[in-house]
Amino acid sequence: MSVEEFVVNTEKTIKKFNILSIIIDIVSVTLGLTSLFIIFNIDVLFPSMSIVEVYVGHSYQVLGYQVSFESIILLLSAFIISLPVTAIIHFKDTKLNAVRLIEEKNSYLKERLSTAYDNRHVNNVIVNDLIRNVSDVTVKLQPTTFLNMARIYRGVACLIIISLTFTYITVTDYRTDIKPPQELLDYFGDDKSGSDSDLVVIEEKSQDSGNNSEENLIGEPNIVVVEGKQVDLTLPPGAGTGFTQGNQTNNIPDGFRPSSAYDISLISSSIYSEKLPEGYESIIKQYFEKMAEK
């Protein structure tokens, strides 16, 4: 194995190690934060948030289990927070140099490996001899030799402990009496309280208008909206039990004389007679029967 191949393989192994370590830390921080959120009742904030309050109390089927909406939001929030936290923890990993790490782990290769790697395309007696000596050493080494395995072991141990704690808290729904401060609840509930105050104002206005309903029957129309349609609730003049003298209109024609009041009864006409001309009784009766049918 040449010096270049050894350095490239070692660098790939270190990158895979760092990715695995990052994944372990993200999962650990996410589960740890979610456990803290549940313990300290952070989910009591959701009913006060206008964005998510309509979904509070719903459950969803996830991998055959019923998971509440609050648990999903807590998990997602913890995951989002874990990203910058993990980035801070692994900030130095992005600046890690494989050649420098190998030289720190092996004193014989110190400065020799970097010199041989930088001059790997140079062809002269001195460089060729240096590369050969370095290759004789690197061929006996494994890329995993330069990994910080203690870091992996610590990460896996923390992940197991946090996972067990998270499982216990989730299954038993363990919580403390500690809740978010009232100021935080009021902050998220500002919009909701504002809407309540608007409703109070509307109710007060409606009560005032109710008290003065008798005075505003002939005033400006009172309009309400029912299923998207405007409905006029104003009683027109003259409707109801009666009307005032000022609203009375004279619709009686001039010269009209009303008849005197009398009890309604049947009055026979003096013109009508049961006597029919002889010989025409049947014809007259048929005529009136046909008229009655029409």
Side-chain angles (χ1 to χ4, degrees):
M1 180 184 296
S2 64
V3 174
E4 184 177 3
E5 290 177 348
F6 174 74
V7 173
V8 171
N9 291 338
T10 304
E11 188 173 14
K12 289 181 179 179
T13 304
I14 294 174
K15 287 183 178 179
K16 292 179 181 179
F17 167 82
N18 290 336
I19 292 174
L20 178 62
S21 181
I22 289 172
I23 293 174
I24 291 175
D25 289 345
I26 288 177
V27 175
S28 299
V29 174
T30 300
L31 296 181
L33 288 176
T34 305
S35 301
L36 293 176
F37 290 162
I38 296 174
I39 291 174
F40 295 111
N41 303 291
I42 301 299
D43 52 346
V44 300
L45 294 173
F46 297 152
S48 302
M49 298 180 181
S50 58
I51 300 177
V52 299
E53 62 178 347
V54 295
Y55 302 102
V56 174
H58 290 85
S59 298
Y60 302 93
Q61 193 79 11
V62 179
L63 300 177
Y65 296 94
Q66 289 289 338
V67 182
S68 63
F69 173 78
E70 293 87 335
S71 300
I72 295 175
I73 293 298
L74 290 178
L75 191 64
L76 289 176
S77 302
F79 173 74
I80 293 173
I81 297 174
S82 69
L83 296 179
V85 173
T86 306
I88 294 173
I89 295 174
H90 293 270
F91 177 74
K92 294 182 179 180
D93 295 344
T94 57
K95 299 182 178 181
L96 190 61
N97 189 294
V99 175
R100 186 180 304 172
L101 179 62
I102 295 170
E103 289 181 347
E104 290 177 357
K105 295 290 184 178
N106 192 302
S107 58
Y108 176 80
L109 296 177
K110 190 173 184 178
E111 295 183 358
R112 290 187 175 88
L113 179 61
S114 57
T115 303
Y117 183 75
D118 294 338
N119 297 280
R120 59 189 181 277
H121 300 300
V122 178
N123 187 12
N124 59 48
V125 177
I126 298 175
V127 173
N128 292 339
D129 183 64
L130 176 62
I131 292 175
R132 184 175 60 255
N133 293 333
V134 172
S135 298
D136 291 340
V137 176
T138 57
V139 74
K140 301 176 182 179
L141 301 175
Q142 295 295 328
T144 54
T145 307
F146 306 100
L147 299 179
N148 187 1
M149 298 305 298
R151 184 177 183 179
I152 286 288
Y153 297 149
R154 287 195 301 268
V156 173
C158 290
L159 179 60
I160 293 174
I161 295 173
I162 293 175
S163 298
L164 294 175
T165 304
F166 172 77
T167 303
Y168 173 78
I169 293 173
T170 305
V171 172
T172 61
D173 195 22
Y174 177 79
R175 296 172 181 267
T176 62
D177 295 333
I178 302 175
K179 294 183 179 180
Q182 186 63 35
E183 292 78 7
L184 194 59
L185 293 172
D186 295 338
Y187 174 78
F188 286 108
D190 280 342
D191 295 337
K192 190 173 181 181
S193 62
S195 62
D196 291 340
S197 63
D198 294 339
L199 291 176
V200 172
V201 172
I202 293 174
E203 291 177 356
E204 290 176 354
K205 290 181 178 179
S206 63
Q207 291 175 359
D208 294 339
S209 62
N211 295 332
N212 300 326
S213 60
E214 296 180 357
E215 300 177 1
N216 296 331
L217 289 177
I218 315 174
E220 293 296 326
N222 294 325
I223 306 297
V224 298
V225 178
V226 179
E227 297 182 354
K229 297 181 180 180
Q230 292 185 351
V231 180
D232 188 358
L233 299 182
T234 305
L235 294 176
T241 58
F243 51 88
T244 60
Q245 185 67 27
N247 292 327
Q248 184 176 5
T249 57
N250 186 13
N251 295 326
I252 302 175
D254 296 336
F256 175 80
R257 289 181 298 175
S259 61
S260 60
Y262 59 89
D263 295 333
I264 298 175
S265 61
L266 296 176
I267 302 175
S268 61
S269 174
S270 59
I271 302 174
Y272 179 78
S273 176
E274 290 289 345
K275 296 180 180 181
L276 300 176
E278 295 180 359
Y280 296 96
E281 294 87 347
S282 61
I283 297 174
I284 295 173
K285 289 183 178 180
Q286 290 177 4
Y287 172 79
F288 281 104
E289 287 176 356
K290 290 183 179 179
M291 291 295 293
E293 291 178 358
K294 294 181 179 182

